[in-house]
Amino acid sequence: SPSGSPTSSPSDVPSSSPSRMHIQEVVTATSNELKSSTDASYGVVFNVRTAINVPVVLINGLHFYTESTDFVGYELWSRLGSFKDYKGIYEGWDLIASGVVKGAGYGKFTSIPSNTITEVSIPGRGGERAFYLTLNSMDLIYSASKESGDSDIRVHASSPELEIYEGEAVLNYPFPNEAYMYRSP
């Protein structure tokens, strides 16, 4: 909240350095974990939420794992809110990145080029945004959950700012609307 008695000029001494870097990265699996996975899909759909004590967070990049070293077509879609009632329905989703990228191959993450991504924000204080990443081939490697249940109740990875939920593998391209085309969680 604003100060009740602001000064008219800046202080002579700079404030201390931030305790964390401005740009953060959240890793949902290590390359070693994914190297042991044999599960492949066309895509994945998942929700991301901000922590309850955090303001708006800006998303400006995404990496994925494919063992392919060929060129793969990708699309990254996003929407405010959950994916739960919007699987296979493009209405309400925004295409925020698309193109072709060379897969980095075994043990390495492939980055969606930053110049192809439209940055999106996730509202603060528990706000939610869904993402749907798809490739034009069944080359997206993922690790299936060891537990059964709803794909949106367990946090798969987190940082002090974000919680990334398990989500669902998408077993066809483009965005199928048949329930059997999703592996959950």
Side-chain angles (χ1 to χ4, degrees):
S1 61
S3 169
S5 56
T7 61
S8 60
S9 61
S11 65
D12 294 333
V13 180
S15 60
S16 61
S17 297
S19 58
R20 298 189 70 211
M21 295 295 296
H22 180 68
I23 296 176
Q24 296 292 311
E25 188 171 283
V26 181
V27 178
T28 58
T30 66
S31 59
N32 284 336
E33 291 170 331
L34 290 168
K35 283 192 282 189
S36 64
S37 178
T38 57
D39 294 315
S41 70
Y42 281 92
V44 63
V45 61
F46 59 96
N47 291 328
V48 178
R49 293 185 184 98
T50 55
I52 202 69
N53 61 341
V54 171
V56 173
V57 172
L58 184 66
I59 303 295
N60 62 6
L62 187 91
H63 312 286
F64 61 92
Y65 187 64
T66 178
E67 292 179 354
S68 174
T69 56
D70 294 332
F71 285 95
V72 293
Y74 64 89
E75 295 173 14
L76 180 59
W77 296 80
S78 185
R79 70 176 310 280
L80 277 175
S82 175
F83 71 83
K84 293 302 268 185
D85 293 326
Y86 293 88
K87 292 188 298 189
I89 303 167
Y90 283 103
E91 185 177 331
W93 290 88
D94 295 313
L95 181 63
I96 62 170
S98 65
V100 176
V101 66
K102 186 168 175 50
Y106 188 74
K108 299 174 186 165
F109 289 101
T110 300
S111 297
I112 292 178
S114 60
N115 64 342
T116 68
I117 293 181
T118 300
E119 295 177 336
V120 292
S121 62
I122 303 174
R125 312 215 178 334
E128 179 176 52
R129 182 173 278 280
F131 293 90
Y132 166 49
L133 169 66
T134 187
L135 305 181
N136 64 353
S137 57
M138 192 177 242
D139 287 317
L140 183 69
I141 305 296
Y142 70 96
S143 179
S145 178
K146 292 173 181 46
E147 299 180 36
S148 61
D150 191 336
S151 58
D152 191 41
I153 59 170
R154 277 188 301 281
V155 175
H156 181 72
S158 65
S159 73
E161 294 82 17
L162 293 175
E163 297 173 335
I164 301 173
Y165 288 77
E166 284 193 334
E168 301 180 19
V170 182
L171 303 178
N172 205 349
Y173 175 85
F175 210 9
N177 59 9
E178 300 89 0
Y180 66 88
M181 287 292 166
Y182 294 85
R183 182 162 295 143
S184 166

